[in-house]
């Protein structure tokens, strides 16, 4: 498992340390994304290699690409499920198929993500296809984040963006070791969604702030000093820039993804 670097930046005279998890991938065969090893750990421990596997990948997500790559290496039949809508940039499908021609594409009628997932899960239960849990919600995914952050829990503050909040669960578990520490998450879903999921895992001390920028707003005019994912991490860095004066102590920013190119 690659040990991605910890880099130091300056913001208004303050030192900000950034965990460059976006450097896990090579940007060619695998996207630059900090969830690669967590996904691989889940697949290695839970998937029957003799049965087909599907995952739902929405616009802005690298999950379909990563699962295709891992399944290709392990000889698992992968079915790449996606919403067949104008909002979903299908150029990513062309790139993935060119790398892994044995995958199967499964366009779905567009709807809310939860509705599409539940419908897909119902079909999988009937035909024997395995399906990745919604948001990769599983201990074998969460535990990877818990372990990766442990060596950095000497910081006073951890700043991380969130969508489903699954990665956030592991990061919070591994980071919070003393009462004076803070985990701050800037979410692009809803504060209630993230809070509810954290409570499910008996985690309640995370400060959650809703980004004032919509998920679909790529913030193309906002430049960060290192590559960030337009849908998640870039919004977290912008929040930090606007609120750093309210944060006391050392700061670690967890950068999960590089720039999404589709």
């Amino acid at each position: 498992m690659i040990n991605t670097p910890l880099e130091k930046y300056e913001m208004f005279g303050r030192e900000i340390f950034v965990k460059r998890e976006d450097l896990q991938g090579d940007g060619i065969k695998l996207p630059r994304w900090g969830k690669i090893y967590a996904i691989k750990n889940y697949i290695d421990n839970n998937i029957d290699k003799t049965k087909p596997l599907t995952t739902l990948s929405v616009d802005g997500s690298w999950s379909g690409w990563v699962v295709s790559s891992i399944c290709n290496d392990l000889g698992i039949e992968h079915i790449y499920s996606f919403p067949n809508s104008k909002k979903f940039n299908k150029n990513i499908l062309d790139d993935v198929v060119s790398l892994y021609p044995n995958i199967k594409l499964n366009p779905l009628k567009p709807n809310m993500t939860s509705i599409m997932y539940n419908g897909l899960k119902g079909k999988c239960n009937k035909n024997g296809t395995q399906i990745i849990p919604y948001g990769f919600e599983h201990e074998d995914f969460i535990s990877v984040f818990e372990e990766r952050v442990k060596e950095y829990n000497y910081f006073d503050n951890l700043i991380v963006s969130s969508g489903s909040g699954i990665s956030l669960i592991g990061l919070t578990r591994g980071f919070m070791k003393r009462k004076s520490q803070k985990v701050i998450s800037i979410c692009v879903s809803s504060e209630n969604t993230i809070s509810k999921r954290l409570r499910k895992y008996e985690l309640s001390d995370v400060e959650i702030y809703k980004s004032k920028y919509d998920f679909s707003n790529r913030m193309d005019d906002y430049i960060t000093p290192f590559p960030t994912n337009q849908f998640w991490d870039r919004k977290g860095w912008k929040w930090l820039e606007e609120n750093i004066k309210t944060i006391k102590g050392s700061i670690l920013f967890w950068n999960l993804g590089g720039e999404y190119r589709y």
Side-chain angles (χ1 to χ4, degrees):
M1 186 182 296
I2 187 172
N3 185 20
T4 56
L6 193 67
E7 297 180 346
K8 183 171 67 175
Y9 296 88
E10 186 173 298
M11 181 184 289
F12 301 124
R14 295 276 301 276
E15 288 185 343
I16 308 296
F17 288 84
V18 177
K19 179 61 171 170
R20 292 289 307 278
E21 289 289 81
D22 59 287
L23 296 178
Q24 280 189 27
D26 60 9
I28 302 171
K29 290 188 176 180
L30 276 171
R32 296 197 179 280
W33 197 35
K35 299 184 180 182
I36 294 172
Y37 292 105
I39 294 172
K40 188 176 188 306
N41 192 55
Y42 169 79
I43 291 177
D44 284 343
N45 292 327
N46 297 278
I47 297 304
D48 184 341
K49 297 177 178 59
T50 66
K51 298 180 180 180
L53 171 68
T54 191
T55 185
L56 175 59
S57 189
V58 297
D59 194 42
S61 173
W62 293 112
S63 59
W65 185 315
V66 172
V67 175
S68 294
S69 175
I70 295 171
C71 286
N72 182 75
D73 292 342
L74 297 176
I76 301 171
E77 179 185 340
H78 180 226
I79 302 170
Y80 192 126
S81 299
F82 62 94
N84 191 19
S85 69
K86 294 181 179 179
K87 292 183 179 180
F88 186 88
N89 189 330
K90 296 181 178 61
N91 290 333
I92 189 174
L93 303 178
D94 296 333
D95 284 351
V96 175
V97 170
S98 70
L99 287 169
Y100 313 110
N102 291 326
I103 71 166
K104 296 180 180 179
L105 301 180
N106 180 34
L108 303 175
K109 183 179 179 181
N111 209 320
M112 293 176 60
T113 303
S114 58
I115 293 176
M116 287 190 293
Y117 178 82
N118 288 330
L120 181 62
K121 184 178 180 180
K123 292 179 181 179
C124 289
N125 289 337
K126 291 180 180 179
N127 62 29
T129 298
Q130 302 171 101
I131 185 170
I132 298 276
Y134 182 55
F136 298 96
E137 186 173 1
H138 191 279
E139 282 297 327
D140 286 331
F141 179 88
I142 293 169
S143 63
V144 172
F145 288 94
E146 183 175 357
E147 288 302 314
R148 287 185 77 82
V149 77
K150 279 182 178 179
E151 65 178 293
Y152 305 106
N153 60 21
Y154 56 86
F155 281 93
D156 298 312
N157 302 278
L158 173 66
I159 313 292
V160 60
S161 298
S162 59
S164 66
I166 306 301
S167 304
L168 176 63
I169 292 165
L171 290 170
T172 302
R173 279 181 177 178
F175 184 78
M176 296 285 280
K177 296 302 175 185
R178 57 185 192 275
K179 291 182 178 180
S180 60
Q181 287 178 297
K182 286 185 178 181
V183 174
I184 300 172
S185 186
I186 297 81
C187 71
V188 293
S189 49
S190 74
E191 295 146 293
N192 183 58
T193 296
I194 304 299
S195 295
K196 184 177 180 180
R197 183 154 283 132
L198 288 168
R199 287 196 300 271
K200 177 181 175 181
Y201 289 84
E202 299 182 346
L203 300 169
S204 58
D205 295 329
V206 179
E207 293 186 12
I208 305 164
Y209 299 94
K210 170 73 173 178
S211 172
K212 64 182 181 182
Y213 300 93
D214 291 338
F215 173 79
S216 59
N217 183 345
R218 298 192 176 210
M219 302 175 67
D220 292 327
D221 296 331
Y222 180 66
I223 307 300
T224 54
F226 50 91
T228 52
N229 180 277
Q230 304 94 307
F231 304 101
W232 289 278
D233 305 289
R234 190 170 298 179
K235 295 172 173 66
W237 189 259
K238 178 64 173 176
W239 182 93
L240 178 58
E241 185 180 70
E242 294 174 345
N243 294 274
I244 190 170
K245 293 180 181 179
T246 67
I247 301 174
K248 297 179 180 180
S250 55
I251 298 173
L252 172 63
F253 183 90
W254 202 269
N255 191 56
L256 276 169
E259 189 168 13
Y260 191 74
R261 65 173 182 257
Y262 297 100

